[in-house]
Every structure is written in C-alpha cells, then in structure tokens.
Amino acid sequence: MTTPRPAAVVVLAAGEGTRMRSATPKVLHTLAGRSMLGHALAAARSLDPELLAVVVRHERDLVAAHAREVDPQVLVADQDEVPGTGRAVQCGLAVVDAAAHARAAHDGREGRGLDVVDGPVVVLAGDIPLLDGGTLAELLSAHVADGNAVTVLTTEVEDPTGYGRVLREEGTGAVLGVVEHKDADDAQRAIREINSSVYVFDAAVLRSALGRLGRDNAQGEVYLTDVLAIARADGGAVRAVRVDDPVLVEGANDRAQLAVLRAELNRRVVTEWMLAGVTVVDPATTWVDVEVELAQDVTVLPGTQLLGRTRVGRGAVVGPDTTLTDVEVGEDATVVRTHGSSSRIGAGATVGPFSYLRPGTVLGDAGKIGAYVETKNAEIGAHSKVPHLSYVGDATIGDHSNVGAGTIFVNYDGVAKSRSTVGSHVRIGSDNAIVAPVEIGDGAYTGAGSVIRHDVPAGALGINTAPQRTIERWVLRRRPDTGSADAARAALGSFDDEPELSPQAQQELARGQAAGQDR
C-alpha cells in the first residue's frame, strides 16, 4: 500500500536540554553517525513531505545551520519567547503556510484556497532518535484511512514518570486527551500509556486549535497536547496508534539516556547486518553507523568501528581493533588494526597492522600498506607495496612497485607541500628520503639509505650515499675501559699483540679524531 504524502512535517528542536550539561545543543548530540536532529530529519524526509520545517530557538544559528547541512531543503522556523510545544508548532505552521503561499503565488494559484498547507501535518520531537520512517508511515496511513482530526503515537512503559499520560474513555477506549505529568493527579499518574510527542494533525484542525491554546497549567506553557481535547470537543476523531517497542519513541534528556539509546541503536544496526549475511564475531565490541554499507560475506572482527559512509565489499575482512571513517574497502581486502578516513582500499589489498590511512589515500587492487605505515593524499597502484615503517604523503606510485622499509616521502618544505611521482615496477631501497617534487621513472631503482633530491630516469639507479669508513681497533684505543672494549679484546685477541696500524688506518683514525668521533 502506498503511504499518503503529508502536506508538511514539523520537527521540534527549540529546547535547551539543560540536563545534557553541554555547550552543544541537545539535538546535536550524536549516535550512530547522526545527530538526534539528523535522525529526526531522515525519518521525516522518508515520508516525502511537500514541506519540511524545523523549529529552533536555543543556539538558533548552530541548530539551523546543522539542519540545512543535513537537509538543504528544510525550512527554519524561529520560536519566540512564548514557551511550550504548542507555540513551537504554531511558529512552524506559520512558516510552512508562508512557503505554501509563496508556491501558490509563483504558480498563479494565490487566492484559490491553496495558499496554506492543507491535509495531514506530521509533528515530531527532535530528540527521539530511534523513531524510524516505517513507524511514521504507519501512523500517517492510519490517520488518513480513519479520517482523523488528530492521531497520536503512544506506547506503554514501566515507569511513565515525566511523560504525558494518554486519557481514554472508559468502555470505548476512545482518546480523550493527554495530561502532562506535572498537571496529572494520582490516578492519572498511574496510567502507563504515554504520549510519544509524535502526531498527525489535519492542517485546518491544527490551525484552528492552536489559536485557542492558553497557558493555564503547572508550567505556564502553551501545550500542544491541549489540541487533542479541543479537536475532540469540536467533533473531530482523535485516535491513538500504539507501538509495542517503547525504545522507538524514547527520548534522550541526558548523556546517560543517550548512551543507552546509542548502544541499543547500534545493537539493532549490527543485528540487521548479521541477518543480511555479514559475520560479526563480537557484536558487543563492534560499532556500525547507520549510513555504513556492508556486502554479504564481510567479516567484522572484534573491536572494530565502521563509521560515516564506509563501504565494505564482499568477502572483505575488517579488524580486529580497526576504525574506518568514510572508507571504501574492496572485495576480499583485509584491513587489520588500522585507523583510516576518507580513503579507498582496492580489491584483494591488505592493510595493517598498525597502519594510519589519512584522507586521500588510494590503494590499488592487491596492493599492500603494512605495519607502521602512514599515508596521506597518496595513490598507490595495483600490486604495489609499502610494507613497513614508512610515510607516503602527497605521492603517486605506479603498479608493481615496492617501497623499502623506513622510507619517508618528504613533502613539506616548511612553506608549501609538493608531490612526488614514482613509476611502475620501481624498487625504492630501505631508509630512503624522497624529497618532493621529484619523479622516479618506470623500472628505476634507488639505493638503500639514499636521499633522492633529483629525478631518477626510467631504468636508472639513484644513489647518493657516502662511502663507509672503517677505523680498525678504534674502540680498544679510545674506549679502553668499556664493555665494548672487553668484547673486542675477546674477539680480536690480546691488545698487546696488536700489530702496528697501517698508514691508511692511522690517517682514518686521525680524521675520526678531528671530526670529534673520539669524544
């Protein structure tokens, strides 16, 4: 069955959330890779509303900017100093009505009864992050099918303290209204069915009732819940849709509640992936954001976090102890004890352990980034390897090349960064420094310990190491009372039997002394 399209959705995000004890507005705290407001906007947008608005007040600019970043088409409504959810919705409805009027004027329909929103209006709080689009769609469908004036989403909880209680008529069970906790008497507080702060209103009913709301209550606020009683008094049908899973509509008012919801959402996400054919060895230590995508037969080992928009291809193995953010992992690749972000790992490639992939890293198919290797803005070709103890920054490496242990791509001169290019089938010796900008041609080699400051043509050997000097018996002469001297005597024989140094050795010793090597 096709879900009806709402005329508008209004998301309430004006509250301060003092119990969070945070400089960050409550609705901007995150779980599973999205802010609470981001979750609410995603659920709202899944209904394909004609207009979507978010009501802001506390830290207005931060919340508004975040909302527009999440959903560029969202309308922003400012709540004034009049407190309460009823006033928040009134401000939101005014903005969506103005947007509808502007559309009507643009389309030449102004004054024909189409210059305000007409039809179902969905209202939800911005701090119930596990609410999903499917639940909203069921609520909306029930509202339209029954021709209700108001439909409210409810649930039952063991401890309803703090929540508004749903009042029902004895015998029929019809919804009479909602009473807030602070205004409820003892009998009403015993009710376990609570209001979730998620509603569908007929737009005309909502517009009329909002103009009649007062502030005669324990908190001196304009209650949105009073609309239910007004709509019923006007002869409209007010009904409830009850969800059996209270967590779907549970709010997060402090960090402890947020942590509980974060863990529960992660448990549900991980479970869904396991049911879809992903092996998660230890779900308790595995964290997966809601926008991550995993193919069948992926294996996720303990202690792994897959964050942002990470994508993992079929047959890949990730972990243990790996954190990937916005990383694409190819089929049959292996990523072990690695921290990576904004990178791409080719099919059949291997990464780790203890690798650090910074943004802009691209590893080709069957390539290797090994132990204690850091990369940044580096394109490493198919079958090429950077096995260990190296830094590759601002570089392009071709196919089938090998970077020796301890190699550093020197990309920064203190003012600007430059790029180096290494061809295919290149062999870079161990402990090299590749000083950018430099180009090493296809099939070239470099000698161990070299500092490559100039281009190396294809097929050439680049080497600039100094000749080694050896001063025989230097330790016996210059460090006679050390453990090193004792070991040397045992290996060489008695110092007294030492032959005279050759003239060349004497010269080497003198040069060493002049250079300060005997200090």
Side-chain angles (χ1 to χ4, degrees):
M1 183 178 69
T2 303
T3 302
R5 188 183 187 193
V9 178
V10 177
V11 179
L12 307 183
E16 184 175 356
T18 55
R19 280 182 283 174
M20 280 289 182
R21 299 184 181 275
S22 175
T24 300
K26 179 173 75 169
V27 294
L28 300 192
H29 283 260
T30 62
L31 63 169
R34 284 184 186 149
S35 66
M36 288 197 282
L37 178 56
H39 284 285
L41 291 173
R45 185 57 75 184
S46 72
L47 298 177
D48 190 27
E50 294 182 30
L51 296 166
L52 172 58
V54 58
V55 182
V56 299
R57 185 164 188 262
H58 176 69
E59 294 288 356
R60 185 258 182 218
D61 292 342
L62 280 176
V63 178
H66 178 75
R68 291 190 176 107
E69 180 182 359
V70 171
D71 190 324
Q73 303 303 315
V74 74
L75 303 170
V76 174
D78 289 287
Q79 183 174 357
D80 54 25
E81 295 185 3
V82 178
T85 52
R87 181 57 177 169
V89 172
Q90 193 171 30
C91 295
L93 187 62
V95 167
V96 296
D97 276 346
H101 178 80
R103 284 187 178 184
H106 180 270
D107 297 340
R109 297 181 286 110
E110 188 176 8
R112 301 181 187 179
L114 299 175
D115 50 353
V116 293
V117 294
D118 181 41
V121 175
V122 178
V123 176
L124 65 146
D127 62 350
I128 44 177
L130 269 67
L131 180 66
D132 59 274
T135 301
L136 278 180
E138 291 178 14
L139 180 69
L140 179 60
S141 295
H143 174 86
V144 173
D146 294 343
N148 296 339
V150 183
T151 309
V152 57
L153 191 67
T154 71
T155 192
E156 285 194 6
V157 295
E158 290 294 326
D159 181 7
T161 302
Y163 291 98
R165 309 306 202 279
V166 177
L167 306 180
R168 291 182 180 267
E169 187 176 59
E170 280 192 46
T172 66
V175 175
L176 299 174
V178 173
V179 59
E180 297 297 337
H181 178 86
K182 291 186 177 181
D183 298 291
D185 58 32
D186 289 342
Q188 292 169 335
R189 290 185 179 185
I191 297 170
R192 290 171 50 199
E193 186 180 11
I194 62 167
N195 169 34
S196 70
S197 300
V198 181
Y199 317 82
V200 184
F201 299 94
D202 176 81
V205 170
L206 178 62
R207 193 176 291 109
S208 172
L210 287 173
R212 291 180 273 167
L213 296 180
R215 298 172 60 179
D216 185 16
N217 52 62
Q219 300 183 83
E221 296 182 356
V222 180
Y223 287 162
L224 179 62
T225 48
D226 288 348
V227 170
L228 278 66
I230 293 174
R232 180 178 172 82
D234 289 346
V238 179
R239 296 189 173 91
V241 172
R242 186 182 303 180
V243 294
D244 296 328
D245 184 359
V247 178
L248 288 178
V249 292
E250 188 172 337
N253 293 310
D254 56 42
R255 298 186 198 230
Q257 292 176 337
L258 181 61
V260 171
L261 290 181
R262 182 181 288 120
E264 176 58 21
L265 178 54
N266 184 71
R267 186 192 68 78
R268 296 180 183 212
V269 170
V270 170
T271 298
E272 286 181 4
W273 283 119
M274 290 190 291
L275 295 176
V278 174
T279 295
V280 179
V281 174
D282 185 10
T285 63
T286 300
W287 292 82
V288 181
D289 281 354
V290 292
E291 295 189 19
V292 169
E293 292 185 7
L294 307 176
Q296 287 185 357
D297 294 319
V298 165
T299 298
V300 183
L301 299 178
T304 293
Q305 301 178 70
L306 303 177
L307 310 177
R309 296 179 179 272
T310 293
R311 306 284 184 267
V312 184
R314 184 185 295 267
V317 178
V318 181
D321 306 323
T322 293
T323 300
L324 302 180
T325 305
D326 299 327
V327 174
E328 180 181 332
V329 181
E331 294 185 0
D332 299 315
T334 301
V335 186
V336 180
R337 287 190 170 88
T338 292
H339 189 106
S341 60
S342 301
S343 298
R344 190 167 73 246
I345 299 167
T350 60
V351 178
F354 310 112
S355 299
Y356 182 22
L357 277 56
R358 293 167 60 188
T361 295
V362 178
L363 178 61
D365 294 349
K368 179 176 182 178
I369 294 175
Y372 301 102
V373 172
E374 179 180 343
T375 58
K376 177 190 72 72
N377 285 336
E379 299 176 14
I380 301 168
H383 300 274
S384 287
K385 300 178 181 180
V386 187
H388 24 233
L389 300 165
S390 296
Y391 170 69
V392 182
D394 296 298
T396 299
I397 299 174
D399 300 337
H400 297 278
S401 290
N402 188 85
V403 176
T407 292
I408 304 298
F409 280 71
V410 185
N411 58 333
Y412 183 52
D413 63 5
V415 177
K417 292 185 178 181
S418 300
R419 194 169 188 86
S420 294
T421 302
V422 176
S424 297
H425 294 276
V426 170
R427 298 293 180 266
I428 293 178
S430 296
D431 196 28
N432 271 210
I434 311 298
V435 183
V438 72
E439 182 172 347
I440 301 174
D442 292 346
Y445 278 54
T446 66
S450 294
V451 178
I452 303 300
R453 299 178 181 274
H454 306 289
D455 292 351
V456 180
L461 170 65
I463 185 168
N464 69 349
T465 55
Q468 177 177 315
R469 294 186 297 164
T470 302
I471 305 173
E472 295 181 3
R473 299 182 180 270
W474 182 91
V475 173
L476 298 177
R477 291 178 176 275
R478 308 308 300 178
R479 301 291 185 268
D481 298 323
T482 64
S484 298
D486 293 341
R489 288 192 191 95
L492 296 173
S494 171
F495 184 78
D496 295 336
D497 297 334
E498 177 190 2
E500 288 295 325
L501 294 177
S502 67
Q504 181 179 0
Q506 292 178 23
Q507 292 175 1
E508 291 289 347
L509 179 60
R511 280 198 295 266
Q513 292 171 344
Q517 295 184 26
D518 59 336
R519 288 181 293 177

